[in-house]
Each structure stands twice: as C-alpha cells, then as structure tokens.
Amino acid sequence: MRIIAGEFRGRKILPPDNDATRPITDRAKQSVFDILSPLLEDAVVYDLFSGTGSMGLECLSRGSGKAVFFEQDRSALHRLHQNILDMSLTSRTQIIPGDLFKWFEKNSPNSPADLVFLDPPYRFLTEQPEKLQSLAESWGRGFVSPNATVIFRHDTADQLTLPQLHLYDQRNYGSMAVEFLRFS
C-alpha cells in the first residue's frame, strides 16, 4: 500500500496486519481519485471505517486541509497512528476511535465534511443496513456540507439506498463497487 500522488507520492502506508480491513487496490484508488481531484483542495475529509488510513492520507497528500479518521479495530488504529506520525500529519488529522455510530449520535458537528469515504465491512450491508441508513440521516444535522460527496464502497452484489443521497456515478472493479453520491 502506498500514496499514489501529491506531497507524499510513493510513500508506503503500513498495511493492516489482520483481515479486519480490506485495502483498496492501487488501480481502483487511482481511478477514484481521478474523479475526486477537483474536490480535494482544502477539503475536510471523513474517512469512515478507515482501517490504516489509505483514503484520508491520499486526500491529505493531494491538498485536503483536514482528515478525520473513524476506526474501531485496535490493530488498524495502531497502524493508522503510525502512518500519520510517519508523514508528520498530526496537525491536520483527528482520529475517532471506537463505535462511529455512537459518535455521530452523541456529538455535534464542528467541521462539516466536504468528502466522506464510507467503506464499511461488507457484512454491514446485509446484516445491519439500518445502521448505515441512520448514519447517512445523521449527516444532515450539519456533519457534512450541503454539497458534500460521499464515496460508498461495497460488494457489487449488495445494494443499499442511503437516505438524502443520490447516485451520480458508479465504478465497478471486479467484485467491488464504488458509488459517488451527493445530497438531494
């Protein structure tokens, strides 16, 4: 795993050391960022289910202003911390450890996101879709800017409509789908 472009181009990212996360391939990552490039400058990014931080760190490398990482797995959190330290990005990042669903329920917005990477474990779409739908509803309380883009990664076999969001682009990479959504 590595940063593809920008300030930290070519820098390696510590990968997950277990199967709790699914790293995105460089090819798929490059394609996603080709689409997002006009939206990155000074953006506030939420990287939900961030794993070791690949997507949020790529955004920071390409000029985003701040990334907020949400992760529950302890091993992934340890590596995420190390990746942030290795790139000296602590001043432009925030890590929210633990259950992100509870965090969005209990907290008030302070920096609305311009980009949201939603990359839940695939089981959420089949086992707990209502949690993801409730999460999307909470974003309307000021957690995301009105013109924010949500990048929703999931298995191509699964479908889930998120409230208040409409699909404007979708790319499939093998069995992985990446949806680009905006608020209606």
Side-chain angles (χ1 to χ4, degrees):
M1 292 178 50
R2 64 186 176 92
I3 300 293
I4 294 173
E7 179 182 356
F8 301 106
R9 180 180 184 191
R11 295 281 296 269
K12 293 194 183 287
I13 300 172
L14 291 173
D17 65 354
N18 59 33
D19 62 356
T21 63
R22 303 174 323 279
I24 190 168
T25 65
D26 281 353
R27 182 180 71 88
K29 188 176 178 183
Q30 181 64 50
S31 177
V32 166
F33 278 93
D34 286 346
I35 295 166
L36 296 176
S37 65
L39 308 175
L40 295 173
E41 191 65 32
D42 297 323
V44 174
V45 177
Y46 285 178
D47 190 350
L48 309 180
F49 305 97
S50 64
T52 61
S54 174
M55 301 307 272
L57 293 170
E58 186 74 36
C59 288
L60 292 170
S61 180
R62 294 175 183 235
S64 291
K66 178 180 180 179
V68 182
F69 298 93
F70 296 80
E71 180 54 55
Q72 186 167 341
D73 181 77
R74 287 179 191 243
S75 173
L77 277 169
H78 173 74
R79 290 185 172 232
L80 172 60
H81 277 285
Q82 192 60 51
N83 286 331
I84 289 169
L85 287 172
D86 288 349
M87 292 182 221
S88 301
L89 287 170
T90 54
S91 66
R92 295 172 52 201
T93 61
Q94 179 181 2
I95 297 175
I96 309 292
D99 187 328
L100 70 90
F101 299 104
K102 289 180 182 174
W103 188 88
F104 278 97
E105 286 174 13
K106 294 179 179 179
N107 288 279
S108 300
N110 60 2
S111 295
D114 302 301
L115 290 173
V116 178
F117 289 92
L118 178 60
D119 187 8
Y122 283 174
R123 70 178 185 274
F124 269 93
L125 272 70
T126 55
E127 296 175 6
Q128 300 178 0
E130 68 285 347
K131 283 187 136 183
L132 293 173
Q133 291 170 324
S134 178
L135 179 64
E137 286 176 1
S138 74
W139 296 336
R141 298 192 326 259
F143 286 106
V144 298
S145 65
N147 58 350
T149 297
V150 176
I151 302 91
F152 182 26
R153 180 177 162 210
H154 59 83
D155 190 285
T156 54
D158 295 329
Q159 298 296 317
L160 181 65
T161 301
L162 296 172
Q164 305 173 46
L165 294 166
H166 71 275
L167 179 71
Y168 75 88
D169 197 352
Q170 179 172 334
R171 306 293 168 104
N172 293 331
Y173 307 94
S175 64
M176 177 183 65
V178 179
E179 295 182 2
F180 297 84
L181 306 156
R182 288 204 176 113
F183 285 87
S184 305

